[in-house]
Amino acid sequence: MPWATTRMPDTVPPPSEESRRSALQPRNRRVKALSSEDTFGKVFDGNVVKRFGEFLIPYRRQIYMAIASVTIFTFTQISVPLIIRYIVDKALVVGAGGERLLLIAVVGFFFVSLVNYVSNYFQTIVVAKMAERILNDLRGAMYGHLQHVSLAFMDRTQVGRLMSRLQGDVGSLQEFLESSIFAIGDFVLLFGIVFVLLMLDVQLGLLTLSVLPILFIVRVIWLPIARRAFMHARQTNSIVNSALAENINGVRTVQEMGRQGVNFDAFEDKAADNYRAHIRATKLAQVMIPTVDTLTGLAMAIVIVVGGNMVLDKALDLGVMVAFLFYVQRFFDPIRSLTMQYTVSQRAMASGTRIFEVLDVPVEVEDKPDAEDLGVIDGSIEFRNVTFGYVEGLPVLKNISFKVAPGETVALVGPTGSGKTSTMALLHRFYDVWDGQILIGGRDVRDVTQESLGRHIAMVLQEPFLFTGTVFENIRYHCEEASLDEVIRAATAVGANDFIQRLPNGYHTILGQRGVNLSIGQRQLLSFARAIVANASILVLDEATANIDSFTEREIQTALARTLTGRTGVVIAHRLATVRGADRIIVLQDGEIVEQGSHTELIARRGLYHRLHTMNYASFDDAPGDLARLDPAGAT
Amino acid sequence: MDATPTASPQSSTNSAPSHTATLVGSMEGRYGEGARALIRIVRMACRYPVRFPLAIGTVVAAGVFQLLIPRYLGRAVDNATGMLTQAATVEAQDALWSAAFLVIAVTVLRGLFTLAHNYFGETIGQSLGYELRLAFFEKLQRLSFSYHDRIHSGDLITRGMLDIEGVKRFIETGILRVILLAVLIGVGAWMYMGHDIVLGLLCVSFVPFALWRGMVFRLRVRALWRELQERMSVLTRIMEENLGGTRVVRAFSAQKFEMKKFNEWQQRCLDISLQRADVRYVNTSLMTFSYYIAMALVLWVGGLRVIAGTITVGELTQFLAFMTVLQMPIRQIGMVVSGIARASVSGVRMFEILDIDPAIRDKPDARELVVSEARLAFEDVSFAYDGFAGEHTISHISFAVKAGETLGIVGPPGSGKSTIANLIPRFYDVTDGRITIDGQDIRDVTLDSLRAHVGVVQQDTFLFTTEIRNNVAYGDPWAEQDKVEDATGTAQLHDYVAGLPAAYETMVGERGVSLSGGQRQRLSIARSVLLTPRVMVFDDSTAAIDAGTELRIREALKEVNKTRATVIISHRLSSLMHADEILFLDGGRIVERGGHMELLAKNGRYRALFDLQMGAAKDGAKDAMGDDAHA
């Protein structure tokens, strides 16, 4: 994923006042943003570990089992040279009965191998499966949480960044978990070898072990330098990859503008940087190999010279010397893995911080413990002295009151930033009001469950969103009990049946990112059908401002009228035709209701509505803000 | 059905479907192709005539030195028992010292050669990656629109990121690692069997078993891996759509439904992951087990021989230490196998792109386009998209427009308007007929010169994540600030930009300011204006701009338009009423053509559309005057 690695600046300029790209997107909001995507954090973060621990609790038994198998596995590894030692010293000495002792030792060795096999299998399988499950739990927890966090947070957070947390970060915690358990094995192995060496012969053991601190010091000096080089290499990766991604996405513009040459040169520079960074990282990584080899050779030489002399002097059994030689070969493995663990945990701590950051995003709108189902209602709507905003001290809606009778259609009209979108969002309780009350069917929206609220309110957004799936699935969406007949009836009602039938597979044509693409007008029709299938008593519509040709526009008007039949409607209207079709028009400006009434009444009044109207723009939102604001106080 | 001109050299219709097939085709039954890709990577590596042989030489040396270590260890053990030098202990001590030095020398050499082969392998891999990356980038910049229509951009990005990585790792984890394994096992077996055939055989007895398990493991894991990838991509898509469409989800209170969908697919992914863990660890632990069994046999047989006096303890140590050397390669078999598998799949995917012959490119004898009066002419042009042979998007279109003139094109959605716009800069090649500029067929001139003279302002504006200035000057990065401001001035965007906190230095894109549809379109206009093309095409590029601003833009363009041919495509008649000629398109054919007044007089489709659009405005005007004719 390109976005997973792209580094973004931490601070973001507030979105433009004119931004109209996403439906219902409130302006001037300020929500705590996610932190940037640094690859490394602290080596150990108590808080992260503690929170992560909560996810481990259900797997306690597996963890104990894993640790037990890791320990047993390590012991079998340590015992192999000891068996060899026994054979060399006991079975192979000249004298009778050698064969029998040898056979016993070999059988013992076989038994150890068996234990090794079983414990090896268990440690790997238990750890791997548990890590997979914990990864799922974590991802599920984050995903579930994101279904309920404040919309303001979702608006300002790119999907890509959330995805990188749901996938990349969860992955690095999984890696951490696996390697931590194996690190326990490494510790056991390290201390086991040290213990056995000293047990076998203190003097030779100490001498041999003297190379350990050297390696340790070398690695401690080397690690930070190498890590910087590795990090740099990784950063150049994401630079190259995001340049590539941008060029792929914008390839048409690149070709139109004839930018290929310039872009290629820029890309070449980035690729060359990437090349150099990787070569440097390689050099640093490889330096360690001869170092470790030299130290291993040194340790072996010590065993050979010192141990060999001791054997010659009969001060040491030959088998012990052989065992020493085998241990020395395995000596550095645990140290290598343990220092690697350092990088893994740094990455994991950073990932953990990011994951828990998501889990900590507050859920602002929650069902009350005693929330009830909305039940059967008449579809009336009332705003009672509602005040609301996104930033403290900056209300977007100021003490708004209005009623919509069942079956009535109300159009909300007003210049950009007047509070139409917020009104619509509050109706569905996407946010909670600061002050006042919103009643649906006579009940405060905060007293009923959000789910039942959703059943009664159908929303058609400005840019209708299609999920990957068939036309049929998209229209019925979550109403899984809806039959194909019902769907066809809904589509026919809004006049979408014709074009759907013309699609390659009719209602079973796959739509969405990887399917057939529909025009905005057609998508709009589908979302009307979706609203009809949902069979809600209230329809909330944010009319598309995007360019729709005259032919489609007429179809949409008809569909809208059909959809509104028998329902209460609240429409954020941009088009003259829609506004005129409404029973009543509410004109908003700067968060206040400045006028309301029928089209004729409002025209007669010669206020803001009249002025917007006479400018004769295709959409009210096109009206330059300054024109709308040139308010000869008398109009209100 | 249709007589598609498959013989025409420009036509890409016959080659394209096969590409589609390979792009989406499954990886099944493509081992031959995979092997060819691997051979090709090796051949590419051979192009580094110094480093590649050096890498191979050093990897062999590293293996041989590693195999020598057990030999000297064994000798040292024998020295210590004084068996080889039954003479004075002073000589035995000397022998110990020399054995110790030999061991140090051999380990140091092994380390240095390992460093060398890793280094050479990595530099070759990186150089290869660098080359491939540039070739890939170059290629995708040249691939015509018809390829980009078909290839999902996410897929291209994956190829450019992960597949290049897979290919470049192949040098190290594939070629060099295989050579090392072969040296350790092959040369090792040969060395030690020369010493004692039975023991030598026993030492490597587990290798066939391990290789067999490795193969089984590879096949099963590959199948599972592919399945997991597919399920993961569904899960990813579910998550992306849910998060991107969060408002729809909430509008319908469909969280439960969404969670159900998510849980179901997450469970499906988990099932495969767990199966994969089973396959992997059953095999790796079995492989390790076979290794230990072989070691037990060596211990037993070797022990008996020591007791019988045929070999020394030191020699037994040699065999055991040789087995220790083999432990590492056995652990790596899985890694090597999956590295090779990955490289073969990645190689196929990579070369698939690199080998595409761009359908649209300069002819060998292509000349520079020479523009005099900028006369753009369509001569009986027909066009069908790739894969839709016979279904012409536009048929038999002819028109001409020259400097100072404006051509308007109008028609319902899908009537072929945008297709015409994309044919002019040769983003696609015509299927039939020809397009000329001042009499030169656009297929006979160089693409660079053609596109330098043709500017298309598209419906959708792609913004690059950079400053506004760079976005405007995208086609001419070294343009003076004056020129940039002139262009934005013409496009009526300057005032807005100048009012931003950082003015032209303001970042746009995902993390910067977001521009409204109208602003994006104006930026796009500025982009093209800056390049002063002689043929300018507006493809519905003012739809989101209000009528007043559009009029101001048109006024600003008036002077320069005298030297350029203008084509305006729109479904808003007010945008093109003033054109010298207007084409009304439907179903890819011109159904009406003429000047505005002429068309109105015809009382046909154009007139109907005009009434529809103007009607609303007139009603509005009547309403404004208080006429209450509507309920």
Side-chain angles (χ1 to χ4, degrees):
Chain A
M1 239 150 301
W3 53 77
T5 44
T6 318
R7 296 170 58 81
M8 276 98 184
D10 212 355
T11 48
V12 194
S16 137
E17 192 59 18
E18 280 187 63
S19 153
R20 241 196 275 130
R21 285 198 312 184
S22 116
L24 261 183
Q25 181 175 308
R27 287 112 186 139
N28 34 341
R29 60 211 125 80
R30 194 165 303 151
V31 185
K32 191 171 168 286
L34 290 179
S35 58
S36 66
E37 328 282 349
D38 284 324
T39 325
F40 292 99
K42 289 187 249 177
V43 186
F44 184 85
D45 186 327
N47 194 32
V48 170
V49 172
K50 208 177 100 206
R51 305 260 325 250
F52 189 41
E54 290 165 22
F55 283 87
L56 301 183
I57 291 171
Y59 302 95
R60 261 169 309 180
R61 282 186 40 216
Q62 279 98 320
I63 291 178
Y64 296 146
M65 217 165 110
I67 293 177
S69 348
V70 165
T71 313
I72 294 171
F73 173 73
T74 311
F75 276 122
T76 59
Q77 282 184 307
I78 294 173
S79 60
V80 169
L82 285 178
I83 295 174
I84 296 174
R85 182 234 156 165
Y86 174 85
I87 292 175
V88 171
D89 284 342
K90 295 279 156 26
L92 304 186
V93 282
V94 193
E99 284 93 345
R100 201 178 56 88
L101 286 177
L102 178 65
L103 189 64
I104 293 172
V106 169
V107 170
F109 185 92
F110 176 77
F111 180 71
V112 168
S113 308
L114 205 63
V115 175
N116 173 284
Y117 166 58
V118 174
S119 58
N120 185 17
Y121 175 71
F122 267 103
Q123 63 155 356
T124 47
I125 203 89
V126 169
V127 171
K129 289 191 169 181
M130 178 180 67
E132 288 287 353
R133 292 212 159 88
I134 290 175
L135 168 142
N136 266 23
D137 292 352
L138 266 173
R139 187 160 49 203
M142 274 207 281
Y143 186 76
H145 187 69
L146 286 173
Q147 305 301 314
H148 300 281
V149 299
S150 102
L151 268 181
F153 170 82
M154 294 301 284
D155 284 339
R156 85 160 301 156
T157 312
Q158 276 177 284
V159 173
R161 303 185 79 207
L162 292 176
M163 289 302 293
S164 89
R165 284 167 203 233
L166 283 164
Q167 293 180 313
D169 287 327
V170 164
S172 64
L173 270 194
Q174 180 192 21
E175 184 194 8
F176 171 69
L177 184 66
E178 287 187 14
S179 65
S180 301
I181 289 177
F182 296 133
I184 294 173
D186 286 323
F187 263 112
V188 177
L189 185 61
L190 187 61
F191 284 106
I193 290 179
V194 169
F195 178 77
V196 171
L197 287 188
L198 293 178
M199 265 257 305
L200 288 174
D201 191 282
V202 177
Q203 198 198 344
L204 185 60
L206 282 177
L207 269 173
T208 315
L209 289 172
S210 65
V211 297
L212 270 187
I214 304 176
L215 178 73
F216 191 74
I217 291 166
V218 169
R219 276 200 85 102
V220 165
I221 296 169
W222 168 83
L223 197 67
I225 305 170
R227 199 167 57 85
R228 233 172 292 142
F230 298 159
M231 257 173 79
H232 183 231
R234 217 189 317 242
Q235 278 163 9
T236 58
N237 275 355
S238 52
I239 291 171
V240 174
N241 288 335
S242 55
L244 178 74
E246 184 164 75
N247 259 280
I248 289 173
N249 290 325
V251 68
R252 284 155 211 268
T253 312
V254 171
Q255 294 194 4
E256 271 156 32
M257 296 279 130
R259 260 281 282 232
Q260 291 96 324
V262 178
N263 286 2
F264 185 80
D265 291 345
F267 187 77
E268 198 174 17
D269 286 345
K270 286 172 185 157
D273 275 346
N274 176 257
Y275 174 80
R276 279 190 295 269
H278 275 278
I279 295 299
R280 190 179 136 71
T282 306
K283 282 184 192 155
L284 274 165
Q286 296 304 323
V287 162
M288 224 41 215
I289 290 179
T291 313
V292 170
D293 277 4
T294 307
L295 288 174
T296 314
L298 203 62
M300 285 176 178
I302 291 171
V303 174
I304 291 170
V305 172
V306 180
N309 271 308
M310 286 164 80
V311 173
L312 283 177
D313 294 342
K314 310 274 186 251
L316 188 76
D317 290 336
L318 182 61
V320 175
M321 178 181 163
V322 174
F324 260 81
L325 286 176
F326 282 107
Y327 282 125
V328 167
Q329 291 189 19
R330 294 295 316 276
F331 225 31
F332 295 108
D333 293 354
I335 295 180
R336 201 176 316 169
S337 332
L338 285 173
T339 36
M340 296 282 257
Q341 179 66 14
Y342 178 83
T343 313
V344 174
S345 29
Q346 268 193 324
R347 211 174 15 230
M349 292 305 142
S351 291
T353 311
R354 288 193 290 266
I355 288 173
F356 296 118
E357 197 179 40
V358 170
L359 286 174
D360 288 343
V361 173
V363 173
E364 284 164 5
V365 179
E366 271 176 298
D367 283 350
K368 279 190 185 171
D370 56 346
E372 288 170 29
D373 197 285
L374 194 48
V376 183
I377 54 156
D378 58 3
S380 68
I381 301 168
E382 184 179 356
F383 272 57
R384 241 181 236 168
N385 305 98
V386 170
T387 300
F388 170 74
Y390 304 94
V391 184
E392 214 172 317
L394 280 178
V396 176
L397 296 179
K398 301 163 192 160
N399 200 22
I400 291 230
S401 298
F402 66 86
K403 278 189 197 171
V404 184
E408 188 187 17
T409 297
V410 164
L412 292 179
V413 168
T416 307
S418 56
K420 295 169 299 195
T421 314
S422 304
T423 308
M424 183 163 157
L426 288 178
L427 190 58
H428 202 295
R429 204 179 163 215
F430 282 169
Y431 307 92
D432 272 337
V433 296
W434 286 1
D435 207 2
Q437 245 187 329
I438 294 165
L439 305 167
I440 301 281
R443 308 204 37 194
D444 191 312
V445 291
R446 285 167 298 190
D447 293 338
V448 297
T449 62
Q450 293 175 69
E451 211 205 331
S452 64
L453 202 56
R455 264 205 318 276
H456 286 284
I457 305 175
M459 283 184 130
V460 177
L461 303 174
Q462 212 178 64
E463 272 174 45
F465 189 89
L466 296 182
F467 293 88
T468 303
T470 62
V471 175
F472 169 58
E473 284 161 353
N474 262 294
I475 292 181
R476 72 170 183 179
Y477 187 43
H478 73 307
C479 303
E480 284 178 287
E481 65 283 1
S483 66
L484 182 59
D485 271 355
E486 279 175 71
V487 166
I488 294 178
R489 236 177 294 137
T492 313
V494 300
N497 187 44
D498 286 352
F499 86 80
I500 295 172
Q501 298 286 10
R502 277 200 305 274
L503 292 173
N505 291 312
Y507 281 85
H508 300 291
T509 309
I510 305 272
L511 301 177
Q513 274 179 8
R514 280 153 221 204
V516 173
N517 251 324
L518 301 179
S519 71
I520 290 186
Q522 290 169 328
R523 280 189 276 163
Q524 191 101 43
L525 292 183
L526 282 196
S527 59
F528 282 137
R530 199 187 261 170
I532 288 185
V533 171
N535 197 24
S537 47
I538 298 172
L539 178 78
V540 179
L541 165 74
D542 192 359
E543 202 171 32
T545 50
N547 48 307
I548 288 176
D549 63 278
S550 320
F551 305 94
T552 318
E553 162 133 28
R554 213 167 28 175
E555 289 167 25
I556 288 180
Q557 288 299 337
T558 321
L560 176 60
R562 295 257 180 88
T563 314
L564 281 172
T565 314
R567 288 175 228 278
T568 310
V570 177
V571 182
I572 296 184
H574 303 291
R575 289 165 200 286
L576 215 52
T578 317
V579 177
R580 288 215 321 260
D583 299 316
R584 188 154 49 103
I585 298 158
I586 294 179
V587 185
L588 286 170
Q589 187 177 19
D590 294 328
E592 285 171 289
I593 296 180
V594 290
E595 293 173 316
Q596 55 179 306
S598 73
H599 174 72
T600 329
E601 284 163 19
L602 289 178
I603 289 296
R605 223 171 153 155
R606 309 217 152 241
L608 177 61
Y609 181 80
H610 177 254
R611 208 163 48 253
L612 287 169
H613 185 255
T614 44
M615 284 190 305
N616 200 13
Y617 285 110
S619 152
F620 283 131
D621 274 14
D622 268 348
D626 47 345
L627 259 170
R629 246 162 269 279
L630 272 178
D631 192 14
T636 39
Chain B
M1 284 172 60
D2 197 300
T4 323
T6 38
S8 148
Q10 292 84 26
S11 162
S12 54
T13 37
N14 42 355
S15 66
S18 65
H19 274 299
T20 324
T22 47
L23 286 177
V24 296
S26 78
M27 293 290 164
E28 232 68 58
R30 294 176 60 186
Y31 293 111
E33 215 176 329
R36 272 202 299 282
L38 292 183
I39 292 170
R40 195 159 153 191
I41 301 172
V42 175
R43 284 228 306 272
M44 285 179 81
C46 292
R47 288 212 311 265
Y48 302 94
V50 180
R51 279 183 278 169
F52 193 53
L54 267 178
I56 291 176
T58 48
V59 76
V60 171
V64 169
F65 280 112
Q66 191 165 4
L67 287 170
L68 285 176
I69 297 173
R71 173 156 289 186
Y72 294 122
L73 288 183
R75 246 179 230 171
V77 170
D78 280 342
N79 288 339
T81 48
M83 277 182 179
L84 286 179
T85 53
Q86 283 177 335
T89 46
V90 183
E91 279 174 50
Q93 279 179 343
D94 284 349
L96 280 179
W97 276 105
S98 62
F101 280 122
L102 273 175
V103 165
I104 292 186
V106 170
T107 49
V108 168
L109 283 172
R110 185 201 92 98
L112 290 176
F113 279 113
T114 306
L115 172 140
H117 84 72
N118 282 344
Y119 176 75
F120 289 128
E122 181 76 15
T123 54
I124 295 172
Q126 292 294 344
S127 307
L128 211 66
Y130 174 76
E131 268 185 63
L132 281 174
R133 195 168 255 159
L134 292 186
F136 181 74
F137 189 87
E138 221 269 307
K139 176 66 78 173
L140 68 94
Q141 285 206 340
R142 283 197 300 139
L143 285 180
S144 66
F145 278 24
S146 48
Y147 285 104
H148 288 290
D149 291 343
R150 273 202 309 273
I151 303 173
H152 195 262
S153 64
D155 182 39
L156 272 182
I157 294 169
T158 318
R159 287 175 200 236
M161 281 168 60
L162 302 179
D163 289 332
I164 286 185
E165 197 64 34
V167 169
K168 83 182 188 196
R169 288 229 186 115
F170 174 65
I171 304 294
E172 254 202 273
T173 58
I175 304 177
L176 295 183
R177 207 49 59 172
V178 165
I179 295 176
L180 183 61
L181 292 192
V183 167
L184 289 182
I185 294 170
V187 176
W190 174 74
M191 265 171 70
Y192 287 88
M193 270 155 63
H195 214 86
D196 183 317
I197 291 194
V198 178
L199 277 182
L201 273 177
L202 282 179
C203 281
V204 293
S205 59
F206 70 100
V207 170
F209 177 80
L211 281 178
W212 171 60
R213 292 313 304 178
M215 291 299 167
V216 173
F217 164 66
R218 169 205 162 156
L219 288 178
R220 292 217 43 207
V221 161
R222 236 183 108 173
L224 285 173
W225 174 251
R226 214 174 294 141
E227 180 63 34
L228 182 64
Q229 288 302 96
E230 271 165 33
R231 294 187 183 188
M232 272 310 289
S233 73
V234 175
L235 183 67
T236 302
R237 199 198 63 217
I238 289 174
M239 293 195 288
E240 272 173 2
E241 288 188 351
N242 171 282
L243 299 174
T246 184
R247 284 173 182 280
V248 181
V249 174
R250 291 179 192 214
F252 284 89
S253 295
Q255 283 102 331
K256 271 192 198 148
F257 170 75
E258 289 287 321
M259 278 313 280
K260 202 178 95 195
K261 207 158 66 174
F262 168 79
N263 283 331
E264 184 192 323
W265 278 94
Q266 170 147 283
Q267 186 60 43
R268 285 189 185 196
C269 292
L270 180 65
D271 290 345
I272 298 284
S273 298
L274 296 184
Q275 268 187 52
R276 196 165 61 125
D278 272 329
V279 172
R280 163 170 288 155
Y281 296 119
V282 163
N283 279 288
T284 51
S285 53
L286 261 180
M287 279 151 79
T288 312
F289 186 52
S290 69
Y291 167 81
Y292 277 114
I293 296 297
M295 194 180 229
L297 290 175
V298 170
L299 262 178
W300 192 32
V301 175
L304 286 175
R305 293 196 176 195
V306 174
I307 292 170
T310 18
I311 61 169
T312 61
V313 174
E315 283 165 318
L316 177 60
T317 308
Q318 248 185 67
F319 284 107
L320 291 174
F322 170 51
M323 287 207 72
T324 316
V325 168
L326 290 182
Q327 199 173 12
M328 181 269 298
I330 286 315
R331 274 204 229 138
Q332 286 184 346
I333 283 181
M335 188 184 98
V336 170
V337 163
S338 53
I340 294 175
R342 179 176 172 193
S344 72
V345 173
S346 290
V348 169
R349 283 165 54 83
M350 195 75 237
F351 295 131
E352 210 167 64
I353 300 290
L354 293 182
D355 293 346
I356 297 176
D357 200 12
I360 294 182
R361 57 173 168 195
D362 290 348
K363 279 190 183 171
D365 56 345
R367 285 163 290 113
E368 293 274 304
L369 174 69
V370 185
V371 182
S372 48
E373 58 165 0
R375 185 174 185 277
L376 166 74
F378 269 52
E379 298 173 15
D380 200 28
V381 170
S382 297
F383 176 76
Y385 282 97
D386 281 351
F388 291 90
E391 285 178 45
H392 283 173
T393 312
I394 58 168
S395 322
H396 307 292
I397 301 286
S398 297
F399 63 79
V401 53
K402 63 174 192 295
E405 290 178 355
T406 300
L407 177 82
I409 302 178
V410 68
S415 56
K417 304 187 296 275
S418 292
T419 303
I420 293 182
N422 284 328
L423 288 176
I424 301 171
R426 223 189 141 202
F427 291 143
Y428 302 89
D429 267 339
V430 298
T431 314
D432 237 342
R434 63 182 207 140
I435 300 170
T436 59
I437 292 177
D438 285 336
Q440 304 149 79
D441 190 319
I442 57 170
R443 288 167 298 192
D444 294 338
V445 299
T446 63
L447 276 174
D448 282 347
S449 67
L450 172 68
R451 290 180 187 169
H453 289 296
V454 176
V456 180
V457 187
Q458 302 272 14
Q459 267 175 51
D460 300 318
T461 310
F462 185 84
L463 295 181
F464 294 88
T465 322
T466 174
E467 291 99 40
I468 288 188
R469 190 211 164 270
N470 293 343
N471 260 303
V472 174
Y474 196 74
D476 181 7
W478 295 278
E480 303 277 327
Q481 183 64 19
D482 287 357
K483 226 181 135 189
V484 173
E485 288 183 20
D486 277 352
T488 51
T490 305
Q492 308 299 315
L493 189 66
H494 173 75
D495 291 346
Y496 169 73
V497 176
L500 289 171
Y504 282 86
E505 311 300 318
T506 310
M507 292 288 289
V508 292
E510 282 183 324
R511 300 291 280 171
V513 297
S514 44
L515 302 181
S516 72
Q519 285 164 343
R520 291 160 80 95
Q521 289 191 335
R522 281 184 268 160
L523 190 144
S524 182
I525 292 172
R527 246 184 212 166
S528 296
V529 164
L530 182 88
L531 300 179
T532 56
R534 298 293 303 278
V535 175
M536 185 106 164
V537 184
F538 293 90
D539 182 8
D540 213 352
S541 47
T542 54
I545 300 174
D546 65 79
T549 309
E550 189 188 356
L551 192 69
R552 287 204 292 275
I553 295 174
R554 204 155 55 223
E555 287 297 319
L557 282 170
K558 208 165 227 171
E559 199 51 42
V560 276
N561 277 354
K562 284 180 186 153
T563 60
R564 74 168 58 125
T566 307
V567 177
I568 297 178
I569 293 167
S570 179
H571 55 244
R572 190 153 78 190
L573 291 185
S574 61
S575 307
L576 45 75
M577 277 176 349
H578 63 284
D580 300 285
E581 186 181 23
I582 299 166
L583 310 181
F584 193 108
L585 236 57
D586 195 7
R589 288 170 194 276
I590 300 173
V591 290
E592 284 175 31
R593 68 193 303 166
H596 174 64
M597 294 316 284
E598 203 181 325
L599 285 172
L600 280 186
K602 262 190 186 148
N603 235 340
R605 301 277 305 268
Y606 184 86
R607 175 83 204 208
L609 182 63
F610 180 80
D611 289 344
L612 186 70
Q613 290 190 8
M614 293 306 135
K618 272 192 194 130
D619 284 351
K622 265 194 280 177
D623 282 343
M625 288 188 267
D627 184 323
D628 192 14
H630 304 268

